[in-house]
Amino acid sequence: MKNKYVFVTVLLAVILLAGVGFTAAYLHRQDGEQSRERLTVVTSFYPMYVAARNVIGDTEGVTLENLSEPQTGCLHDYQLTSADMKLLSTADVFIVNGGGIETFLTDVAEEYPELTIINACENLELLGENAHAWMNMDDYCTQVETICEGLTEADSAGAEQYEKNAEIYLEKIAGLQEEYSDVVSILQGQPVVLFHEAYEYIAEEFGMEVAGLLNLDEERQVSAGEVADILSAIETQGVSVILAEERYGKDMGDMMEKESGVQVVYLDTLTRGDYDADSYLDGMRSNLELLTEAFGTDSTGE
């Protein structure tokens, strides 16, 4: 009988230890899951996603999602869907371009008052109501820095990694600028006509003179008077190049080439593409190649 009591006591002790071990393992696993999911970041649209991806990199515990599809383009008049609101309800941080591009931003802030919103244009002086600041590489660098600062404040555990990743990305952008540094002297003072307001930022960075602007999109109805004004600017100001977006500017570009003989160069607004981390660098390099070809030089200035 005594041996029986001893056996039962030992068995209970084993069960108790096993239970403690299981509980500890479970809690450890739960803590691990929480650490791996410590931050959910959502970006508003494509250029903000690419910037955030480069800052976040492979930082452990951070999930990055994009609100709109990568082929959406700019978010002018974008209407949030129920799926968008559901995604935002899971977010800790929402990264936006700002400057009025995300017209729904006030509604989001009211719906999710605890959501941290990083405005990438916060530290920039914009060109009026035109907020396509990522098209100027200097401004884009400031946006990357602002995103890094915001993420560091929101998630101190990842701060060191964010800062390291941002530094690497900024060095890549600086390298691209250095690669085409000689182009500035070629483009400086060149008169251009723009068929998209995003290209005002390219003109600003390289010192080009904007002789005329038609901000074309799918709903833009251009009057005969506007066309006459552009043709007059081309003639009187010696414009040899029009910068346009092919998606919305091709018809007008074809007409202008026919009427005035001016060259139309179709640039990328960098608002669409895949989610590759180098897509901004690749797209901007392509734009710079097109500009250097249009003005009769290569990237070495020869």
Side-chain angles (χ1 to χ4, degrees), residues 112-143:
Y112 304 110
E114 301 301 317
L115 179 63
T116 296
I117 298 176
I118 300 174
N119 182 337
C121 280
E122 181 178 6
N123 299 312
L124 290 173
E125 184 175 344
L126 300 176
L127 300 176
E129 297 181 357
N130 180 356
H132 298 77
W134 65 89
M135 295 298 290
N136 179 313
M137 288 183 282
D138 287 332
D139 289 344
Y140 183 63
C141 286
T142 300
Q143 290 189 307

Side-chain angles (χ1 to χ4, degrees), residues 35 39 60 74 79 102 110 132-133 161 176 178 185 218 244 249 256 287-288 291 295 301:
S35 66
L39 196 76
E60 185 178 0
C74 281
Q79 299 295 316
E102 294 90 354
E110 291 177 353
H132 298 77
Q161 190 64 51
L176 181 61
E178 178 63 25
S185 62
E218 66 266 68
M256 286 292 171
N287 283 344
L288 294 173
L291 284 172
F295 289 97

Side-chain angles (χ1 to χ4, degrees), residues 63-181:
T63 300
L64 176 62
E65 302 281 354
N66 195 39
L67 189 70
S68 57
E69 292 297 323
Q71 300 300 324
T72 300
C74 281
L75 296 184
H76 302 296
D77 301 321
Y78 181 82
Q79 299 295 316
L80 291 173
T81 67
S82 57
D84 293 334
M85 297 302 286
K86 183 177 180 180
L87 175 60
L88 286 171
S89 72
T90 69
D92 301 298
V93 175
F94 186 32
I95 299 174
V96 301
N97 181 78
I101 283 184
E102 294 90 354
T103 55
F104 51 77
L105 196 55
T106 300
D107 294 337
V108 171
E110 291 177 353
E111 183 72 19
Y112 304 110
E114 301 301 317
L115 179 63
T116 296
I117 298 176
I118 300 174
N119 182 337
C121 280
E122 181 178 6
N123 299 312
L124 290 173
E125 184 175 344
L126 300 176
L127 300 176
E129 297 181 357
N130 180 356
H132 298 77
W134 65 89
M135 295 298 290
N136 179 313
M137 288 183 282
D138 287 332
D139 289 344
Y140 183 63
C141 286
T142 300
Q143 290 189 307
V144 171
E145 291 169 350
T146 300
I147 290 170
C148 179
E149 291 169 3
L151 288 174
T152 297
E153 291 178 6
D155 178 32
S156 59
E160 184 177 351
Q161 190 64 51
Y162 299 141
E163 291 169 357
K164 179 181 178 181
N165 292 341
E167 182 179 356
I168 292 172
Y169 191 43
L170 291 170
E171 287 176 355
K172 290 182 178 180
I173 300 169
L176 181 61
Q177 290 178 299
E178 178 63 25
E179 183 180 345
Y180 288 87
S181 59

Side-chain angles (χ1 to χ4, degrees), residues 214 220-232 252 255-256 259:
L214 285 179
R220 182 77 157 86
Q221 298 296 319
V222 179
S223 68
E226 289 177 306
V227 172
D229 288 343
I230 291 297
L231 288 171
S232 176
M252 181 64 68
M255 189 271 286
M256 286 292 171
E259 293 293 327

Side-chain angles (χ1 to χ4, degrees), residues 6-23:
V6 171
F7 173 77
V8 171
T9 300
V10 171
L11 181 61
L12 289 173
V14 170
I15 293 172
L16 178 61
L17 289 172
V20 170
F22 175 80
T23 301

Side-chain angles (χ1 to χ4, degrees), residues 187 189-193 208-211 233 237-242 295:
L187 300 183
Q190 291 282 1
V192 291
V193 165
M208 292 183 282
E209 298 293 333
V210 179
Q237 299 189 47
V239 174
S240 62
V241 172
I242 293 174
F295 289 97

Side-chain angles (χ1 to χ4, degrees), residues 1-40:
M1 181 69 69
K2 182 178 181 180
N3 290 338
K4 179 178 179 182
Y5 288 139
V6 171
F7 173 77
V8 171
T9 300
V10 171
L11 181 61
L12 289 173
V14 170
I15 293 172
L16 178 61
L17 289 172
V20 170
F22 175 80
T23 301
Y26 176 78
L27 291 174
H28 177 74
R29 180 170 60 83
Q30 291 294 95
D31 288 342
E33 289 176 353
Q34 290 175 0
S35 66
R36 287 195 298 275
E37 300 174 357
R38 84 171 168 268
L39 196 76
T40 298

